[in-house]
Amino acid sequence: MLLTKHIHSFLTPTIILLLFCCSSHVFGQKSKNFNDPNADELLNLSIQSINALEIDKGLNYAEDLLNYSLKIKNHYFISKAYNQIAICNEELNDLKKAEIYYLKAIDYAKLTNDNILLNYVYTNIANLYYFIKLITKKQ
């Protein structure tokens, strides 16, 4: 039992570190070109708002991006929008909603065949699961 506990406590940080290292390498590459100036603008506004800790504003831009992307049927930006919505929900401590939106982002990322995008979303949901585990452990 003690050995199992030790192995588990070693593996969790190791897996997170491995995910980080792999994602660092992949994120250094330029993603496939999915040009849409309107979608790019909404995505950038969402990112900027979240970075400025204006989460509700970032969420609104992400929802606008989602509606626009669904209308033009662009899986890449649909995935990006769901990812942004998940990030906002995570920041608002609605972790269940965040998980749901990350899973939707993964579904759409798979449709793009863009491994960089898929890796990005998998890294985000892995971080969410790790955070949930830490919270649960403290209780």
Side-chain angles (χ1 to χ4, degrees), residues 26-44:
V26 172
F27 292 140
Q29 301 172 6
K30 187 149 177 91
S31 185
K32 292 179 184 174
N33 194 5
F34 293 96
N35 284 330
D36 186 297
N38 295 326
D40 275 330
E41 182 180 358
L42 290 169
L43 177 60
N44 288 331

Side-chain angles (χ1 to χ4, degrees), residues 81-120:
Y82 278 133
N83 186 67
Q84 288 300 112
I85 293 169
I87 290 169
C88 291
N89 279 288
E90 191 171 350
E91 288 295 319
L92 296 170
N93 284 322
D94 193 339
L95 304 181
K96 191 64 187 164
K97 263 190 185 176
E99 179 186 24
I100 290 167
Y101 285 112
Y102 280 134
L103 292 172
K104 288 182 180 190
I106 289 168
D107 288 342
Y108 279 94
K110 287 178 181 177
L111 296 174
T112 68
N113 294 319
D114 184 342
N115 290 331
I116 295 170
L117 175 61
L118 188 58
N119 188 26
Y120 179 68

